[in-house]
Amino acid sequence: MKTKTIKDLKFETLLPKELIKKRVNEIALQLDALHIGSEPPLMICVMNGAFIFTADLVRAMQVKVLLGFIRASSYRGTTSSGNLELSGIEKLNIEGKNIVIVEDIIDTGATLEAIIEQLQKRNPLQLHIVSLLQKPHAPKFENTIVGFEIDDRFVVGYGLDYDGLGRDIDEIMVMK
Ligand code: IMP
Ligand code: MG
């Protein structure tokens, strides 16, 4: 078990990289099965947090994929500011396409709800959601694959940050 200090907070290993890798491979198989024989899905990476998960996931998948990137931000420090900013959706070609939203974590679900609402308006053929992590209070979304259900504690690593730091850590660490 690793420990790390980022600014004023201490973190310890929650999900080691081998476990994440195994789960990412399982999710890739599920997504392959959902899209085999159909048009390549547009995998929409929700930046910044999902950049590593997306990179690993698309490389573990066997079907051809298209990639799109949107940006969502609401967190300041370890709490959500509730001030959601979304950008980049307008540039994507959604109508009639198979869409997969790739998120790092579903906490309150507000970010995902806003993204889904904007995408649905543009008539995708299919809409799936994949999130590496999900916290306990998150509402249930349809057609959603979750990597790991975790406790309501602040995590960093594998793309997730604490005030901009820790995204490069190769595992998921939890605040002590
Ligand atoms: P939601 O809108 O409350 O579901 O929050 C989703 C976004 O908040 C995620 O995409 C993350 O970027 C961020 N977030 C939620 N929980 C954590 C955490 O424990 N660590 C780092 N970022 C988090
Ligand atoms: Mg995020």
Side-chain angles (χ1 to χ4, degrees):
M1 161 117 34
K2 281 201 284 190
T3 59
K4 237 184 221 297
T5 302
I6 303 175
K7 290 189 164 178
D8 52 326
L9 300 180
K10 287 193 163 56
F11 294 88
E12 63 189 12
T13 301
L14 178 68
L15 305 169
K17 60 182 180 187
E18 299 74 24
L19 191 63
I20 298 172
K21 187 173 183 187
K22 185 167 168 273
R23 191 70 186 111
V24 167
N25 288 334
E26 290 171 2
I27 295 170
L29 278 175
Q30 272 182 276
L31 290 172
D32 281 343
L34 284 169
H35 296 99
I36 198 153
S38 45
E39 289 294 306
L42 173 63
M43 308 285 294
I44 302 181
C45 170
V46 184
M47 296 196 292
N48 295 332
F51 82 108
I52 292 188
F53 178 41
T54 306
D56 283 349
L57 187 62
V58 296
R59 287 179 297 171
M61 288 169 68
Q62 298 295 314
V63 297
K64 291 191 176 69
V65 298
L66 297 167
L67 273 159
F69 298 87
I70 63 175
R71 185 176 289 271
S73 58
S74 63
Y75 261 56
R76 298 281 175 275
T78 62
T79 50
S80 176
S81 69
N83 227 333
L84 183 64
E85 286 170 34
L86 278 183
S87 61
I89 297 188
E90 63 291 344
K91 293 195 193 93
L92 300 173
N93 184 10
I94 303 296
E95 178 133 12
K97 303 285 186 219
N98 295 320
I99 305 294
V100 180
I101 303 172
V102 187
E103 255 288 25
D104 51 356
I105 186 165
I106 308 173
D107 180 3
T108 64
T111 305
L112 198 51
E113 221 163 273
I115 294 169
I116 292 170
E117 194 192 305
Q118 292 209 19
L119 292 176
Q120 289 291 16
K121 279 188 210 152
R122 300 177 50 196
N123 303 314
L125 181 63
Q126 290 192 76
L127 180 60
H128 289 95
I129 296 149
V130 47
S131 180
L132 180 69
L133 307 173
Q134 180 171 298
K135 286 188 181 176
H137 305 300
K140 293 282 170 256
F141 291 94
E142 277 176 31
N143 298 334
T144 301
I145 301 169
V146 170
F148 300 93
E149 312 237 357
I150 63 168
D151 292 341
D152 194 9
R153 293 164 72 195
F154 188 74
V155 292
V156 294
Y158 201 75
L160 290 109
D161 73 304
Y162 167 45
D163 256 358
L165 295 170
R167 295 194 195 276
D168 54 321
I169 297 170
D170 62 3
E171 60 177 19
I172 298 285
M173 303 187 91
V174 63
M175 196 170 96
K176 288 224 260 185

